Amino acid sequence: MASRMGIDEETGDHRGGMWNLDQKLDQPMDEEAMRLKSMSRDKEISTLVLMQLAFQSLGVVYGDLGTSPLYVFYNTFPHGIADPEDVIGVLSLIIYSLTLVPLIKYVFIVSRANDNGQGGTFALYSLLCRHAKIKSFPNYDQTDEKLTTYSHSSFDEQSYAAKTKRWLERKAFRKNALLVLVLVGSCMVIGDGILTPAISILSAVDGINIDHPKLSEDVVLIIAIALIVGLFSIQHFGTDKVGWLFSPVVFLWFLLIGGIGMYNIWMYDSSIYKAFSPVYIYRYFKRGGRDSWASLGGVMLSLTGTEALFADLSHFPVPAIQIAFTVIVFPCLLLAYAGQAAYLMKSPDHVVSAFYHSIPGSLYWPVYVVATAAAIIASQATICATFSLIKQAVALGCFPRVKVVHTSKEFLNRIYIPDVNWILMILCVTVTAGFKDQNQIGNASGAAVVLVMLVTTFLMILIMLLVWRCHWVLVVIFTGLSLVVELTYFSALILKVNQGGWVPLVIAAAFFIIMYVWNYGTRKRHEFEMHSKVSVAWILRLGPSLGLVRVPGVGLVYSELASGVPHIFSHLITNLPALHSVVVFVCVKYLPVYTVPEGERFLVKRIGPNNFHMFRCVVRYGYADLHKKDDDFESKLFDSLFMFVRLENLMDGFSEMDEQETESRDDNGNENELNVNPNISSADSILIVDSPLPLHTNNTVMSSGETSKESEVDELEFLKSCRVAGVVHLMGNTSVKARSGSRYYKKIAIDYIYAFLKKMCRDNSVIFQVPHESLLNVGQVCYV
């Protein structure tokens, strides 16, 4: 706070910009030349770092997309190739699909829609939430918009952006529909996290039949399942120790498939490049009719991993992602598919495991080993993307609280969620063992991918209008091209619902029910707390003792309310004869931002006059922030409280106030003046507590008088003595139940599904490492 007032935090002197300006003017010309040379060298280093990051992104972002050549042609022609020219038509479809979707749409357009480097469906939704009131966050406050990471822009009321904003905010149905759309896309990403390891590893392992044709399919299946179980079993170790191998392995994989593709084009059919003509697409559909249309489900698999590209965006900057795709991934994929097509033109009977058949004999085993490793790495990237999405969903109130383990000390976005990991493993093994066939698993994977792409397209329309404020013509062009491609693939996959396409629908439906019911129950619980909260005026009328005996100690009352007094507190003071000398209402909330800087995390307010010793501490997190085990939440809270007292006295030293008002804020950030006698009330003052300062105070700063200095010291000593006396954490345990007259589906959702999820999720006391001997739960029932 002091830094914002222009006061040096250690000396108390006012700061200005003239000193720096004079220093620059006094620099000799040789020093200025050295400075410019240093800037040039830094720019060169940043370019080298960018190249290094582009190389590293291969192992994290592009593994799934790079392993698609293992199974695309077989899933496109599961019943064999009727006409060799069909291969050219399919290759033409693959070329234009890779160009329009991964290259143009995702790498150069969608990747720019990141939320401060964070990608994925929930990141887009959070970005929209900051530009329009499309989600009623339970404890929203206007002070949250002052965060340095809360980036949003204003626009002219007559612009398309303003009209779109008003259209979205006008109807609650539209807001809910947008939330449903986001949840559907997220559930499909989770489904892809189940299906990608199944099809990638099974396709890679299946190539062993080329060298050992007598090996039974059951043995191949057992090997694939063993690799899948092993992959999920080592997730808790993280990828720090072996992660450095990912990029070299995937880079070697791209070089191999690109080199083999060039060899096959030169060896079998160099005229395969005529597939760049879209005429062959028309001939393919005209010749095959419905069968050609249905084969689009296999072509769709060439795009698997595209959505993971966007979901894993937080690991690397956008330019690194773009360089890696345009320089390495895209050319190698085109060569790989063209090489396989050239081989199939001469050997159409080898469409099963076409990739392995096209490998020169001397390279078979090295390529087989690299392919299996690349498939495992691709699965690892998809699993990590699923973990990140679940973490974002938890933060935004769309998934039950689960245990999140931080697996890296250097990279905050590398996490592990045990419960989700084992569920994914069970489902992945079930799908692999149940189908035993790449074709049906491929149909399922394609359906999940295309639905996620459709959701991203619809969200991007709003991003382009609200955030980027693009001209409507550009929006129409983007929407038209995207929907033409994606709806075409979607219509083809509808034909394969009974051939495995139902799997992602069932998986998505199960996760959607969990996410939507949890979000609905959480919103209803907060509405109950809002309606039953007590005004600050009622507390002030009770006087400093609150009508009770104030005993030494500190009571931390946890609530989801950022204003007012929670109902559990009024329940306590009306049923207990004594209360702690210091009461702090703690509100922990997540905001639609990727992170909240440590210096802006704690927002401290005072409730009532100083002799009430009542405070409110709002603790704010972003959806990418983690509660690490080594963070002492209680100590940080008290450091912020002590800082608040010192800064409050510092401000009183600059400006003495004769009269004070007590204010409360509603959930829309509007200030409501309470009808309280000004003689007994004080401001519900707000201070954003920056990083903790030393507990001593410079005499120069406290030059407004000995009274202010003594009051500060007295209150600080009082707070410290109360903390030593003991800290009790009071948490509300609200049970949500459906009313007796509710419909049957609401009773099932609330009384059974939500109650089960709440029983299984982690308590706040576990998240904040509250000792059991210091915990007091206050129960209440909420009927919705």
Side-chain angles (χ1 to χ4, degrees), residues 195-476:
L195 297 170
T196 294
I199 190 172
S200 297
I201 295 178
L202 183 60
S203 300
V205 174
D206 193 50
I208 199 173
N209 283 324
I210 305 300
D211 194 68
H212 294 78
K214 295 183 179 180
L215 200 65
S216 66
E217 293 184 0
D218 292 337
V219 174
V220 174
L221 184 64
I222 292 173
I223 296 174
I225 292 177
L227 289 175
I228 291 172
V229 172
L231 173 64
F232 282 98
S233 300
I234 63 174
Q235 290 298 311
H236 66 281
F237 292 111
T239 58
D240 273 4
K241 295 182 180 180
V242 295
W244 61 273
L245 281 173
F246 287 0
S247 297
V249 170
V250 177
F251 179 66
L252 177 61
W253 168 251
F254 278 115
L255 293 182
L256 284 174
I257 63 175
I260 293 172
M262 293 176 64
Y263 170 81
N264 289 330
I265 293 170
W266 173 76
M267 190 73 179
Y268 297 105
D269 191 351
S270 58
S271 65
I272 199 68
Y273 288 114
K274 59 187 177 182
F276 280 92
S277 172
V279 174
Y280 289 93
I281 298 177
Y282 169 75
R283 292 179 182 177
Y284 176 64
F285 287 128
K286 183 180 180 180
R287 185 169 51 251
R290 179 185 172 89
D291 292 337
S292 296
W293 194 265
S295 69
L296 287 174
V299 179
M300 179 67 208
L301 294 178
S302 64
L303 306 178
T304 56
T306 302
E307 191 63 35
L309 179 157
F310 182 51
D312 288 324
L313 196 65
S314 60
H315 297 81
F316 303 97
V318 173
I321 300 288
Q322 294 173 339
I323 291 172
F325 188 85
T326 54
V327 175
I328 299 174
V329 178
F330 188 64
C332 290
L333 285 177
L334 291 184
L335 289 171
Y337 287 117
Q340 286 189 52
Y343 176 80
L344 290 174
M345 289 290 289
K346 300 297 182 182
S347 305
D349 296 337
H350 289 171
V351 68
V352 179
S353 298
F355 173 76
Y356 285 107
H357 279 293
S358 66
I359 299 174
S362 59
L363 293 178
Y364 171 78
W365 278 110
V367 174
Y368 179 81
V369 172
V370 176
T372 305
I376 294 174
I377 293 171
S379 304
Q380 171 67 38
T382 309
I383 295 169
C384 291
T386 305
F387 289 160
S388 298
L389 184 141
I390 294 293
K391 173 66 178 68
Q392 295 175 6
V394 170
L396 296 176
C398 296
F399 200 85
R401 296 183 300 272
V402 290
K403 182 179 181 180
V404 179
V405 179
H406 193 60
T407 62
S408 174
K409 295 182 179 180
E410 298 180 3
F411 303 98
L412 296 178
N413 47 19
R414 292 184 181 176
I415 58 176
Y416 164 67
I417 304 179
D419 299 333
V420 175
N421 179 72
W422 301 124
I423 292 174
L424 292 179
M425 187 194 75
I426 293 171
L427 293 176
C428 185
V429 170
T430 302
V431 169
T432 306
F435 285 127
K436 304 179 183 179
D437 183 17
Q438 299 178 33
N439 187 31
Q440 292 192 358
I441 299 176
N443 294 335
S445 180
V449 171
V450 73
L451 286 172
V452 177
M453 289 181 177
L454 284 170
V455 170
T456 302
T457 297
F458 291 125
L459 292 178
M460 281 300 301
I461 295 173
L462 297 177
I463 292 290
M464 294 178 76
L465 289 173
L466 284 175
V467 182
W468 292 351
R469 286 169 284 178
C470 298
H471 195 276
W472 66 269
V473 174
L474 296 177
V475 179
V476 170

Side-chain angles (χ1 to χ4, degrees), residues 536-537 539-546 550 581 583 605-615 644 648 660-662 676-685 715:
V536 178
I539 296 293
L540 296 178
R541 283 195 292 267
L542 296 177
S545 66
L546 302 179
R550 303 292 291 269
S581 299
V583 176
K605 310 176 184 179
R606 183 186 291 277
I607 300 178
N610 292 4
N611 57 351
F612 274 64
H613 301 300
M614 296 178 65
F615 304 88
F644 169 82
E648 187 184 44
Q660 296 176 326
E661 293 180 350
T662 300
V676 183
N677 188 340
N679 294 326
I680 65 169
S681 65
S682 69
D684 188 3
S685 53
E715 186 166 18

Side-chain angles (χ1 to χ4, degrees), residues 608-738:
N610 292 4
N611 57 351
F612 274 64
H613 301 300
M614 296 178 65
F615 304 88
R616 186 188 313 282
C617 182
V618 180
V619 189
R620 304 175 292 186
Y621 291 93
Y623 57 78
D625 289 328
L626 295 169
H627 297 288
K628 294 185 292 185
K629 287 185 177 180
D630 56 348
D631 284 347
D632 193 340
F633 179 80
E634 182 180 311
S635 296
K636 286 189 174 184
L637 190 150
F638 277 105
D639 288 342
S640 302
L641 187 61
F642 298 154
M643 178 64 61
F644 169 82
V645 173
R646 290 174 32 232
L647 293 180
E648 187 184 44
N649 282 277
L650 175 66
M651 295 181 68
D652 288 341
F654 285 108
S655 176
E656 295 292 333
M657 300 178 63
D658 296 332
E659 292 184 355
Q660 296 176 326
E661 293 180 350
T662 300
E663 297 174 351
S664 68
R665 294 179 182 267
D666 60 21
D667 276 7
N668 293 323
N670 301 320
E671 296 181 356
N672 299 323
E673 183 177 340
L674 300 173
N675 296 322
V676 183
N677 188 340
N679 294 326
I680 65 169
S681 65
S682 69
D684 188 3
S685 53
I686 304 174
L687 285 177
I688 298 177
V689 180
D690 295 327
S691 55
L693 300 177
L695 289 179
H696 67 273
T697 305
N698 194 292
N699 293 334
T700 308
V701 178
M702 298 303 300
S703 60
S704 58
E706 292 296 328
T707 303
S708 178
K709 180 178 177 180
E710 291 176 2
S711 64
E712 173 195 348
V713 175
D714 292 343
E715 186 166 18
L716 281 176
E717 292 299 327
F718 177 76
L719 292 175
K720 292 178 183 178
S721 63
C722 288
R723 182 187 181 186
V724 173
V727 179
V728 175
H729 302 257
L730 299 98
M731 294 186 174
N733 188 6
T734 304
S735 298
V736 182
K737 295 184 178 181

